[in-house]
Amino acid sequence: MTETWLSRFVADEEQFRTQLWRTAPAVLRPERPPVDVLPAAELDRLLDHGLLKVPYLGLVQRDAHLPVERFCPPRVVLGEVVGGYADGAAVRALIRDEQATLLLRYVDQWHDGVRELARGLAAEIGRQVEAFYFLTPPGTQGRPVHRDDADVLVVQISGAKRWWVHGGPTDGNWVPEREDGDPGEVLLETVLQPGEVLYVPRGFAHRARAEDGAPSTHLSLTIREAASANLYTVAQSLLADSLPLAGRPLDDAALTEAAAALIEHAGSLLAELTPADLLSVTRQLMLQPAA
């Protein structure tokens, strides 16, 4: 049987797609989890090779970001002072002495193995996939309770992390941010061990804390979904790209003629465009790398 990208995260793909997707959090135990794609031992090499740069790297304490100057000293390149490049020793000291969590952002953009994993999963499920990597010191919590604008597959790489997952939003007007109010009952509490995968549906409130004893490292694959703003943007783009109009009509008559042409064209285009078509085009555009 051919291995799929999704099977690296879930043991039962049919159950995941029909019973868990957008419905319930769950701990998944795939046969071959992607713990080898970016192992914890590779972090030292990444920190010490000298090219890891903000904003691909950050240090946080709960919801506060540490100043970049504390771990990115200036350097001189071709006679010019440049900043933003991580100093491995400074990063390790802040993790060790101040219990800061290391966050590697958009790892799919700069790490070959993670890029292949994210792109393969994106192609299979037809959604944009991004990757983030966390190293959290023992006994600490990296972020407060919050909601993500994405379905999340958390792959525990090393150490152990305790997760609390609450319910999802009650309507479509929620925003992905810190949850300062009551997040509701805990739907799932679990300690994620190396090789296990946690699925958190889009918008479900959650928090996590590294267990005592050893640092926790995990890779988060975020599966992005279209929002209303994306649909608006694509619909406007379809109208603009499919009807050539003069950029600056010279008088009222020409402006009125342009307005009439636009209204007629919009009506014709929208009459032929189904909701499924608009959503499909939007998702496909989201899959394309930014120019």
Side-chain angles (χ1 to χ4, degrees):
M1 182 178 178
T2 303
E3 180 182 65
T4 65
W5 294 102
L6 183 59
S7 70
R8 301 285 314 261
F9 300 90
V10 308
D12 187 332
E13 293 186 48
E14 181 65 21
Q15 179 200 38
F16 177 76
R17 292 179 183 275
T18 60
Q19 299 179 29
L20 299 178
W21 179 250
R22 295 282 165 81
T23 302
V27 176
L28 310 169
R29 297 179 177 86
E31 182 176 335
R32 200 170 74 88
V35 294
D36 57 330
V37 175
L38 180 50
E42 192 176 347
L43 279 180
D44 283 335
R45 182 188 67 80
L46 290 171
L47 289 172
D48 290 334
H49 70 23
L51 295 178
L52 193 55
K53 192 177 190 296
V54 173
Y56 286 122
L57 167 143
L59 287 169
V60 298
Q61 291 173 317
R62 293 186 66 84
D63 57 345
H65 292 262
L66 295 184
V68 172
E69 294 76 14
R70 298 195 63 191
F71 56 92
C72 294
R75 59 173 67 167
V76 178
V77 180
L78 294 176
E80 294 186 9
V81 178
V82 297
Y85 290 93
D87 178 82
V91 170
R92 294 186 190 94
L94 290 168
I95 295 171
R96 180 187 65 245
D97 300 336
E98 300 190 26
Q99 303 296 288
T101 289
L102 171 65
L103 167 59
L104 301 181
R105 303 181 180 94
Y106 302 101
V107 188
D108 54 291
Q109 295 183 8
W110 50 268
H111 185 279
D112 289 342
V114 176
R115 180 188 296 116
E116 182 182 24
L117 183 70
R119 288 184 177 178
L121 182 62
E124 282 186 358
I125 64 178
R127 305 290 195 283
Q128 181 186 33
V129 176
E130 298 165 340
F132 301 82
Y133 197 95
F134 296 81
L135 184 154
T136 307
T140 63
Q141 177 176 317
R143 297 185 63 191
V145 180
H146 64 282
R147 302 181 188 274
D148 290 323
D149 191 16
D151 294 87
V152 182
L153 290 167
V154 177
V155 183
Q156 190 68 26
I157 306 296
S158 66
K161 205 163 196 179
R162 183 177 296 274
W163 290 80
W164 293 265
V165 184
H166 306 263
T170 57
D171 59 43
N173 294 315
W174 66 283
V175 291
E177 61 180 18
R178 171 174 173 164
E179 181 63 65
D180 290 322
D182 180 9
E185 68 173 310
V186 175
L187 301 182
L188 175 66
E189 180 180 350
T190 187
V191 177
L192 210 62
Q193 302 291 341
E196 293 183 328
V197 177
L198 173 68
Y199 170 60
V200 181
R202 180 181 182 227
F204 279 49
H206 58 279
R207 66 182 176 93
R209 186 189 68 209
E211 293 288 273
D212 294 330
S216 162
T217 60
H218 75 260
L219 178 68
S220 285
L221 277 292
T222 59
I223 305 170
R224 302 292 181 187
E225 183 56 284
S228 297
N230 301 109
L231 298 176
Y232 275 122
T233 299
V234 172
Q236 290 170 345
S237 178
L238 289 173
L239 287 172
D241 293 343
S242 57
L243 177 66
L245 290 174
R248 296 174 178 82
L250 296 178
D251 52 33
D252 285 354
L255 273 171
T256 302
E257 183 179 345
L262 180 59
I263 291 172
E264 180 181 0
H265 177 70
S268 175
L269 179 65
L270 295 178
E272 297 176 358
L273 183 67
T274 68
D277 289 339
L278 179 58
L279 182 55
S280 177
V281 171
T282 301
R283 286 173 173 165
Q284 287 300 313
L285 289 175
M286 291 176 67
L287 282 171
Q288 298 176 8

